[in-house]
Amino acid sequence: MFVPRGRGGLGGARRHPGRKVSSCQLVKITLAYAMGCLVTLYVLKVVYSLTGEQALARVFDDSSGRDEHVSSYPYVRVRDFDIYEGSPMTFDDLEMNPPVTKNDVLINATYMCPVYSGPGFDETKVAFTKNVRVASVKTSDTTTTTSRNRAHFLAMPKPQRVALDWDDSPYAAASLTNANYLLSLEPDRFLATFKQNAKMHPKAAPYGGWEHPTCELRGHFLGHYLSALSQLAAYGTAPKQQGEEARRLAIYIVQQLSEVQEALGEDGYLSAFPSEFLDRFDNHKPVWAPLYTIHKLLRGLLDASHLLGIEQALDVAVALAEYIKARVDRVIQERGFDWHTASLNMEYGGINEVAYRLAARVTRNATRRRALADLGQLFEKPCFTGRLLADAVGVANEGPNGKDGLGGYHANTHYPILHGSQTLAEFYSELADSPSPAIHARAQAVLMELSAHFIHVLKQRSYVTGGSTHVEIWAHSHHLGETVADHLAHEPQWANAHQESCTSVNLIATARALLRWRGATAASVSYAELIEKLLLNGILGTQRGLEEGKMLYMTGLGPGASKGGPQHWRPTGWGDAHDSFWCCYGTLVEAFASLPVDVFLSDEDKSSVPEVLVLQLISATLTMDSGTRVKVEAVAPGQNGRSASIVVRTLPRSEELMMLSVRMPSWARASMPISVHLREMNNRVHAIPDVTPGRFLRLRRRWKRGDELRIDIDVELRVECLADARAEFQNLCAVLLGPVVLAALTNGYREVASISADDVQKFVKEVPIASREAVVSLRASSSEGDIYYVVRGDESSDAEWPSSVPPTAIRVSSVESNLPKLLGARKGGTDAANRASWVRHDDAQQMSLESLDRPGCYLGCDGLVCGLPDAGAAPQFRTVEHGSCTTLQSSTGRGVLHVTWTDSSSSSSSSSSPAVTCIGVSEALPPPSSSACLSLDAPSSFPTSSFVYSPPSIISNIRRPTRSYLLVALNGIVDERYSVYLKQRSWTSEVQESWSTN
């Protein structure tokens, strides 16, 4: 980071009233004042150089070597295909920059760093670690140890130049659901608390939840809302008419905020809460993150300005930022810089990030630009970024937070600070004091390479989904076991408290910046795949299907977790459209409104051949500066069984020389090569051989209108085990279909005999399409007309099932009054619906009925029969029609399946215990009673096709003694209980041999 210019801040010399001052005295006063200013400038400059220059980058000591996580960079070579019409294919090498070294940083300060930092921080109750060494970027030495040829970031899609394609993908469904929700909200209800704070008359009553007038975080969602509306209009994540409405609402909100700012009359202050909240922050008194809220508001105004061109939004944002700057200057003047630095232990959002962005936008006023850049410097955090930078270059810091300093910290407090460092890297050459290109290149490299170091240490505490928090906190490196331990099956508030949705969105932004810095390199593939993993397992699935405004704060990863179950801070998981507005509501509406920005990056520098990177399997269209359109049609993993595909079409106005770089996923099945074909406009087809997964396929050629690149990928079923170095937790592993996490539907029991990569390939089988379309429920009516369903077991038998004895009970239950609706709208949407659902297997004139969520368990006359090798060995029934009545008759002569009650008077009582059994042994039965009449309703199928939001194509079995598991995509689960991590258990050799035989 650069060293900001110093400031005087002492005020003018006061004259005693009525007292004359001689010219000599006046000269002395003037000289003394000037000397004081110079001393102050020097001291502040030194202080800032020691404390304000934090960075996040991946930095290596030349002598330290590289571990397996980073062996592929920065010296990777990527194949570059040059395919010209009528000429052979050639290969070029793409050289990468050399690494940053210790010579690029300063280890120049020690701090007392808190063991916990985040919301609710109280310096009187939190312990501190003394003498923590931190690092910063060199800005004075003009020599640099490395030469760097990349001095710019690849461009994200420009506003109005990208759009989501409205296919049948889960991304399109999620985006449309989000757009409908955003446009159903009333801006005046968000503005109400702003106007109340300014003593203005609101036009509508305020919303509830975190926007309630008594909530200290009120006003934060309006910033997210303004950003999301701007993204809807700019990124084509809503149909055209909705995009125009989003633009209109954004303009209206900015106009209203400008009026509120003027009415408050506090030199630019703007918020839904009084400035007294900021006084409490400045005085280190308990308050719920007022600057966090200010950050969201500033981001919303910046997005409205940048994406929609609303100039008034920039004016409002600059005035508010300058108000914050004046407050901080006053605190430093009155209490000193250390006091201000101590306040950064509380949550304050990404004030540094928005300050740098504002400074980059203010191009006509150098003084204002410098002040805004200085504001960003004042909110860099030594105990986070400085400590992490020191860790990256091998400076040892021990203590309760671990050597990297992340353990025990509140994750969402720190991601925005990291984004500030990345933003400074992007705009460094515009904002730095020094004119030296060498210093600029070095500072940019350190800032960005250390972001990669952050990703590296984060992997050591990340789950299979890409998320990394439990109860909003980062665990210590390789110590995740306790957060998914067996006992959490009986403590749902902790089993459901993983992967805060905010952190998924913020980590995507972190990886996106690294992608823009790295370009089409092997290292970039890992960042693109991290984004893909987070989109599939941390973003999709946080909406409750197509229900608008029902979203999720956390995604549970413990045994027997449930998205609808209690979390550590509230009794239910899903939020309410008008009564929640948590932080994660804000980040999620932005995530769904900006999906296309992660599909493309481009480099259209006029001095080189234009390049477009295609990063994600999401259908979207990009329009380049030249007018050429690049259209992507994709089928993501999980949409179509074990296959995925991507088709890229170029639509130039005329022939255009361009580099097209497409990510080849590392999750492609190793035994099935990726198939790549280039079809030219004249239908000539080029097969591209030897495509390596985990790299970019780079095609440099003259593209014509209608040229098409088709890539077909067979998706690998694979295993990832928990990131925990301790032996007692190394038997916890998850199953994935490529990047898609598959969860077992289970109330907490999760043991398997083995879960190695070979076992998954051998024993996990895709459910046939015929079975997915043959799900039925068995419905019976009592003599009083009450409706009952034949169900498998019950919740208690699931939870208490020992490893050797499966629940064999079959009973009759009314389940819940809305069961038919659930079955019709979303098969498998709840555990109750699952227990009442059966997979029908037809064989000639017979059929067997397999439990939907207990594969391998079949309906029989004496209860549930489990452990059978296939449906052919299961009890068989045939249907016999008796007028309007259908009976199920046992094919082995056991009789007719009956539903019986103790007596008719108790049939409608909740305390009755109806039974299911076979009665009679003769096929020549008398006309059946109503208790033998069963309706075989076929209301829906497996979750694959009945629920358009996220149709998991893979629903599979992991076989083990006495128990199989139904696996579905985590992003397709609604309210069922599930376990992401299965537990390998040692079995006797006899059992294992029997199991292997089956």
Side-chain angles (χ1 to χ4, degrees):
M1 299 178 185
F2 65 91
V3 181
R5 289 175 171 81
R7 54 188 65 72
L10 298 178
R14 291 187 178 181
R15 297 183 182 181
H16 192 280
R19 181 179 176 182
K20 292 183 178 181
V21 181
S22 68
S23 59
C24 183
Q25 289 175 318
L26 186 57
V27 169
K28 290 181 179 179
I29 291 172
T30 303
L31 289 174
Y33 177 74
M35 183 62 69
C37 288
L38 289 173
V39 171
T40 303
L41 283 168
Y42 177 79
V43 170
L44 286 178
K45 186 167 184 176
V46 171
V47 169
Y48 286 177
S49 69
L50 296 178
T51 60
E53 299 174 7
Q54 319 319 322
L56 288 175
R58 179 62 164 146
V59 184
F60 298 102
D61 184 345
D62 287 341
S63 61
S64 64
R66 297 173 180 82
D67 60 26
E68 62 181 358
H69 298 285
V70 295
S71 60
S72 63
Y73 102 99
Y75 292 114
V76 298
R77 294 178 182 270
V78 182
R79 277 186 165 178
D80 180 0
F81 294 85
D82 288 343
I83 303 180
Y84 293 95
E85 185 172 338
S87 68
M89 185 186 305
T90 61
F91 300 92
D92 294 331
D93 289 329
L94 178 68
E95 294 290 346
M96 290 297 298
N97 289 318
V100 179
T101 70
K102 279 185 177 179
N103 293 330
D104 296 316
V105 301
L106 297 171
I107 308 299
N108 54 9
T110 60
Y111 278 82
M112 286 183 58
C113 294
V115 172
Y116 167 78
S117 179
F121 174 84
D122 186 340
E123 61 189 6
T124 65
K125 299 177 181 178
V126 173
F128 284 77
T129 303
K130 297 181 179 179
N131 299 321
V132 175
R133 300 178 70 190
V134 304
S136 61
V137 182
K138 282 185 180 179
T139 59
S140 57
D141 183 3
T142 57
T143 62
T144 183
T145 58
T146 58
S147 61
R148 310 188 182 282
N149 52 37
R150 177 179 291 283
H152 70 285
F153 285 65
L154 295 182
M156 292 171 57
K158 296 177 181 178
Q160 319 304 326
R161 295 283 188 86
V162 69
L164 197 67
D165 287 354
W166 301 107
D167 56 8
D168 59 354
S169 72
Y171 293 108
S175 183
L176 188 58
T177 299
N178 184 61
N180 291 338
Y181 173 55
L182 287 170
L183 296 179
S184 73
L185 298 171
E186 302 174 45
D188 285 321
R189 296 190 66 180
F190 293 119
L191 289 162
T193 49
F194 284 83
K195 294 191 173 184
Q196 288 172 350
N197 189 43
K199 304 297 187 291
M200 299 170 69
H201 182 67
K203 297 180 180 179
Y207 281 117
W210 287 13
E211 287 299 314
H212 191 275
T214 61
C215 178
E216 289 189 348
L217 216 65
R218 60 186 180 271
H220 82 103
F221 189 83
L222 181 62
H224 290 293
Y225 182 50
L226 185 53
S227 288
L229 290 174
S230 303
Q231 291 160 347
L232 280 185
Y235 294 143
T237 45
K240 184 177 180 181
Q241 188 172 355
Q242 287 187 319
E244 292 172 352
E245 174 65 8
R247 175 186 290 273
R248 186 190 67 79
L249 292 176
I251 293 172
Y252 174 76
I253 291 170
V254 172
Q255 291 172 342
Q256 294 295 301
L257 288 175
S258 179
E259 292 179 10
V260 171
Q261 190 177 52
E262 185 177 351
L264 281 168
E266 296 186 47
D267 296 326
Y269 181 62
L270 174 64
S271 183
F273 50 76
S275 56
E276 180 266 335
F277 284 21
L278 293 173
D279 294 337
R280 285 154 59 187
F281 180 90
D282 293 340
N283 291 319
H284 299 184
K285 301 298 182 184
V287 64
W288 191 5
L291 285 175
Y292 168 94
T293 302
I294 297 291
H295 168 237
K296 306 313 170 191
L297 186 57
L298 286 169
R299 276 292 306 272
L301 291 164
L302 265 170
D303 286 338
S305 169
H306 172 63
L307 299 178
L308 302 184
I310 305 174
E311 294 184 5
Q312 187 179 28
L314 184 61
D315 295 336
V316 174
V318 169
L320 177 55
E322 289 180 333
Y323 170 84
I324 300 300
K325 174 66 162 51
R327 289 189 67 103
V328 177
D329 285 345
R330 185 171 63 249
V331 169
I332 293 174
Q333 178 181 341
E334 295 174 354
R335 299 196 174 187
F337 192 83
D338 287 346
W339 180 271
H340 164 70
T341 302
S343 69
L344 303 185
N345 293 320
M346 297 182 276
E347 186 173 18
Y348 59 87
I351 295 295
N352 57 342
E353 182 244 350
V354 291
Y356 296 139
R357 289 198 182 278
L358 283 169
R361 294 291 304 279
V362 178
T363 58
R364 297 180 181 178
N365 188 322
T367 302
R368 172 172 279 175
R369 165 179 277 206
R370 187 170 297 117
L372 290 168
D374 285 356
L375 175 63
Q377 290 284 282
L378 290 169
F379 282 91
E380 297 290 350
K381 187 170 183 175
C383 284
F384 171 51
T385 55
R387 181 171 184 173
L388 196 60
L389 177 54
D391 177 60
V393 296
V395 175
N397 277 309
E398 300 299 334
N401 301 100
K403 71 183 191 69
D404 56 35
L406 297 188
Y409 269 27
H410 183 259
N412 207 46
T413 294
H414 296 89
Y415 276 109
I417 303 169
L418 174 59
H419 298 162
S421 296
Q422 293 179 318
T423 301
L424 178 57
E426 181 175 1
F427 298 114
Y428 194 92
S429 60
E430 301 173 41
L431 303 180
D433 288 339
S434 170
S436 168
I439 289 180
H440 296 175
R442 177 176 60 200
Q444 282 185 314
V446 172
L447 289 164
M448 293 310 301
E449 295 292 346
L450 193 46
S451 292
H453 178 67
F454 171 80
I455 297 287
H456 172 68
V457 298
L458 197 67
K459 287 180 180 179
Q460 300 166 6
R461 48 177 54 81
S462 292
Y463 301 99
V464 66
T465 56
S468 59
T469 60
H470 184 239
V471 198
E472 306 183 29
I473 302 297
W474 280 317
H476 286 74
S477 177
H478 296 299
H479 278 69
L480 295 179
E482 287 82 2
T483 69
V484 293
D486 289 338
H487 67 86
L488 297 184
H490 305 288
E491 301 176 30
Q493 71 275 25
W494 308 117
N496 301 329
H498 303 77
Q499 190 165 296
E500 184 184 1
S501 299
C502 281
T503 62
S504 296
V505 178
N506 282 324
L507 182 52
I508 286 173
T510 305
R512 183 187 301 138
L514 282 162
L515 266 170
R516 295 179 60 207
W517 170 253
R518 286 289 181 197
T521 65
S524 291
V525 171
S526 66
Y527 301 136
E529 293 192 345
L530 175 58
I531 292 174
E532 179 179 55
K533 211 176 199 185
L534 290 162
L535 286 172
L536 287 167
N537 306 301
I539 306 301
L540 294 182
T542 58
Q543 291 173 323
R544 197 175 188 273
L546 301 180
E547 295 183 58
E548 297 164 12
K550 298 283 188 179
M551 288 185 281
L552 202 61
Y553 195 108
M554 299 178 183
T555 300
L557 303 176
S562 171
K563 295 180 182 179
Q567 297 182 352
H568 72 288
W569 68 287
R570 65 190 311 270
T572 59
W574 298 109
D576 180 82
H578 295 161
D579 244 346
S580 294
F581 300 115
W582 317 315
C583 54
C584 294
Y585 261 64
T587 51
L588 284 173
V589 295
E590 289 189 49
F592 289 119
S594 59
L595 286 172
V597 303
D598 288 311
V599 181
F600 304 103
L601 289 177
S602 64
D603 187 352
E604 299 188 63
D605 190 330
K606 302 301 182 183
S607 63
S608 61
V609 175
E611 181 176 14
V612 173
L613 280 67
V614 178
L615 302 164
Q616 302 299 335
L617 275 71
I618 300 175
S619 298
T621 302
L622 173 73
T623 302
M624 301 172 61
D625 291 343
S626 63
T628 294
R629 287 188 296 145
V630 180
K631 184 177 179 63
V632 171
E633 297 174 3
V635 177
Q639 281 184 250
N640 187 29
R642 293 191 61 172
S643 64
S645 65
I646 183 168
V647 177
V648 185
R649 292 188 176 91
T650 57
L651 300 167
R653 292 174 177 173
S654 59
E655 184 179 293
E656 180 172 357
L657 178 63
M658 179 179 71
M659 178 82 77
L660 182 64
S661 300
V662 184
R663 173 176 66 94
M664 300 291 103
S666 65
W667 41 256
R669 190 192 291 199
S671 60
M672 298 287 289
I674 298 175
S675 172
V676 182
H677 292 85
L678 174 65
R679 182 186 297 275
E680 296 184 297
M681 181 180 62
N682 58 10
N683 284 329
R684 228 162 90 186
V685 177
H686 301 269
I688 301 178
D690 303 326
V691 175
T692 305
R695 294 292 187 269
F696 277 92
L697 170 65
R698 309 182 76 234
L699 301 173
R700 180 180 182 272
R701 65 189 304 273
R702 295 192 179 277
W703 295 87
K704 303 178 183 66
R705 188 173 185 84
D707 286 352
E708 174 184 296
L709 183 70
R710 181 175 183 87
I711 302 162
D712 293 292
I713 309 162
D714 198 68
V715 186
E716 186 85 272
L717 275 166
R718 57 196 187 88
V719 169
E720 282 189 23
C721 294
L722 188 69
D724 197 301
R726 295 166 294 177
E728 63 266 34
F729 295 114
Q730 291 182 0
N731 60 346
L732 293 172
C733 301
V735 180
L736 299 93
L737 173 68
V740 179
V741 173
L742 302 179
L745 297 187
T746 164
N747 282 35
Y749 184 83
R750 54 178 178 170
E751 290 184 349
V752 292
S754 180
I755 191 173
S756 69
D758 290 341
D759 292 324
V760 168
Q761 296 298 328
K762 185 176 181 180
F763 297 113
V764 176
K765 304 296 181 184
E766 184 177 355
V767 176
I769 294 177
S771 295
R772 301 178 203 167
E773 297 173 348
V775 178
V776 299
S777 58
L778 303 181
R779 179 164 55 87
S781 300
S782 69
S783 56
E784 284 76 18
D786 296 317
I787 303 298
Y788 287 81
Y789 290 87
V790 176
V791 301
R792 170 205 56 76
D794 55 28
E795 181 117 3
S796 61
S797 66
D798 286 349
E800 302 301 326
W801 180 21
S803 59
S804 58
V805 184
T808 58
I810 295 295
R811 64 187 183 89
V812 176
S813 173
S814 59
V815 189
E816 47 193 66
S817 59
N818 63 343
L819 179 62
K821 179 180 177 182
L822 284 170
L823 288 172
R826 165 68 164 92
K827 177 63 62 177
T830 66
D831 292 328
N834 287 341
R835 289 195 297 273
S837 300
W838 305 86
V839 182
R840 176 174 174 167
H841 299 279
D842 288 301
D843 181 13
Q845 302 300 314
Q846 303 182 116
M847 69 174 175
S848 59
L849 295 169
E850 183 180 14
S851 173
L852 173 70
D853 63 344
R854 290 294 179 270
C857 292
Y858 296 82
L859 179 64
C861 284
D862 299 317
L864 207 62
V865 181
C866 297
L868 300 177
D870 53 49
Q876 302 291 315
F877 294 91
R878 56 179 176 162
T879 60
V880 178
E881 305 292 338
H882 294 273
S884 61
C885 177
T886 300
T887 61
L888 292 183
Q889 296 189 9
S890 169
S891 298
T892 57
R894 296 287 304 278
V896 176
L897 200 66
H898 272 65
V899 177
T900 60
W901 289 270
T902 304
D903 57 72
S904 60
S905 63
S906 64
S907 63
S908 60
S909 169
S910 60
S911 61
S912 63
S913 301
V916 182
T917 187
C918 290
I919 299 177
V921 293
S922 170
E923 293 189 10
L925 292 170
S929 64
S930 62
S931 63
C933 294
L934 293 170
S935 298
L936 273 72
D937 298 331
S940 184
S941 65
F942 272 100
T944 50
S945 58
S946 60
F947 192 53
V948 297
Y949 164 71
S950 181
S953 296
I954 293 295
I955 302 183
S956 313
N957 302 338
I958 277 193
R959 295 300 303 265
R960 54 139 291 195
T962 72
R963 177 70 184 268
S964 297
Y965 294 94
L966 185 68
L967 300 178
V968 300
L970 177 62
N971 62 36
I973 289 176
V974 179
D975 290 326
E976 303 99 320
R977 292 187 67 184
Y978 59 88
S979 297
V980 166
Y981 286 99
L982 299 177
K983 183 177 181 181
Q984 180 173 317
R985 176 174 175 174
S986 298
W987 300 87
T988 64
S989 58
E990 292 82 7
V991 173
Q992 288 200 21
E993 182 179 354
S994 172
W995 169 54
S996 300
T997 302
N998 291 332

